[in-house]
Amino acid sequence: MAKVSAMLIEKGAAVAHEDFNEREGLIQRLADAANSGMWLCRVGCALCAFALVFQLVSLTSSFPTDWREVFTWESVGYGYTDELGMSHIQGYLVDEPDESRVPARSYLMFEADGSVPLAKTYAACASLAFGLGVLAAGERFFRRISMSRRPFELPRVRELNVIGMLVVLAAIVPNIIGLAISTWAYNVYLTQGQFTWGMWGPGIVNGWLIVLGAFVLIMARVFRYGCELQDQDDRLL
């Protein structure tokens, strides 16, 4: 009888040891996956930061002189003909108007299609800034999981909520900025007294960003329930 009991104890210990090894293996794979996510977000952050700096440098270098002076210049339209023989007109801010050609001291304010390059650049900068914030929050999310080896913790829920809100704002704020700048340009340099909305197209990508942000926010709720279940399991164990 004692021999049977010893065999059962030995078998139970072997099963427990096997389960422990399997659990440790799963935890290690979780940490490895989180570590991969962390480095992916770090690379994305670096790329976003580089693109943002490039946009800001391009913006500042596009002005022929101090931007405050440029915005006091006169708005003049200059036409050109494309390779298909179609005529187009672009709007420039110029220091000294020249009817024959575009002056050297000029700034392109309105494209031939009516769009405002300044609005596009500012919207792109805002979009990249939000992307940088999303990736920074994602880096923190994965790094903390890699360190704690526990995905279901309340701080991770808060980080997912932050990521979701940033994604939703990334779809809304840049478009507000672009529309506001375009409307300002139209009313200051074109209509001059009669209010009109500027030309701005939000694009289909922003709709997907809103859906993606909502998806992340729902995932945060799922993680919150996972935290509660994890807490219950910890108390039972």
Side-chain angles (χ1 to χ4, degrees), residues 8-237:
L8 289 175
I9 293 173
E10 183 179 351
K11 184 177 181 180
V15 171
H17 182 70
E18 183 179 347
D19 289 343
F20 176 80
N21 288 337
E22 183 178 358
R23 177 181 173 81
E24 286 298 309
L26 290 173
I27 291 175
Q28 185 58 49
R29 285 195 288 274
L30 168 66
D32 291 342
N35 195 54
S36 298
M38 177 189 70
W39 280 104
L40 180 63
C41 288
R42 286 181 177 178
V43 172
C45 276
L47 294 175
C48 261
F50 176 79
L52 180 57
V53 170
F54 178 79
Q55 285 284 351
L56 292 173
V57 171
S58 299
L59 175 63
T60 55
S61 62
S62 65
F63 294 103
T65 185
D66 184 78
W67 62 271
R68 288 166 293 190
E69 180 184 348
V70 170
F71 290 146
T72 64
W73 290 352
E74 183 180 349
S75 176
V76 180
Y78 289 94
Y80 72 94
T81 303
D82 61 19
E83 61 273 8
L84 298 178
M86 302 291 293
S87 297
H88 305 277
I89 297 178
Q90 292 178 316
Y92 289 83
L93 301 183
V94 297
D95 185 17
E96 298 179 357
D98 186 341
E99 295 182 359
S100 61
R101 60 185 178 84
V102 179
R105 284 168 58 85
S106 62
Y107 176 76
L108 178 62
M109 180 59 79
F110 301 98
E111 293 280 7
D113 60 359
S115 61
V116 180
L118 184 66
K120 292 180 180 179
T121 303
Y122 268 100
C125 289
S127 182
L128 287 169
F130 276 106
L132 190 60
V134 168
L135 290 168
E139 190 274 343
R140 177 185 174 89
F141 174 80
F142 287 117
R143 174 164 49 85
R144 292 301 177 88
I145 291 178
S146 179
M147 292 171 59
S148 67
R149 302 194 172 198
R150 291 168 60 91
F152 296 114
E153 295 179 315
L154 287 178
R156 306 296 80 76
V157 176
R158 290 193 290 269
E159 287 158 4
L160 281 177
N161 279 320
V162 169
I163 292 171
M165 288 303 301
L166 285 175
V167 172
V168 172
L169 291 174
I172 298 173
V173 174
N175 287 294
I176 293 176
I177 293 174
L179 178 61
I181 294 176
S182 180
T183 301
W184 165 79
Y186 267 70
N187 286 276
V188 171
Y189 299 108
L190 289 184
T191 59
Q192 297 180 348
Q194 182 180 357
F195 179 82
T196 183
W197 289 104
M199 179 176 290
W200 183 258
I204 193 171
V205 175
N206 298 284
W208 280 108
L209 280 177
I210 293 176
V211 173
L212 178 60
F215 173 78
V216 176
L217 291 173
I218 292 173
M219 285 298 298
R221 293 186 61 184
V222 172
F223 263 68
R224 180 176 292 278
Y225 297 140
C227 290
E228 295 176 2
L229 292 173
Q230 181 72 59
D231 184 60
Q232 291 179 3
D233 290 345
D234 291 343
R235 287 202 301 269
L236 288 173
L237 293 175

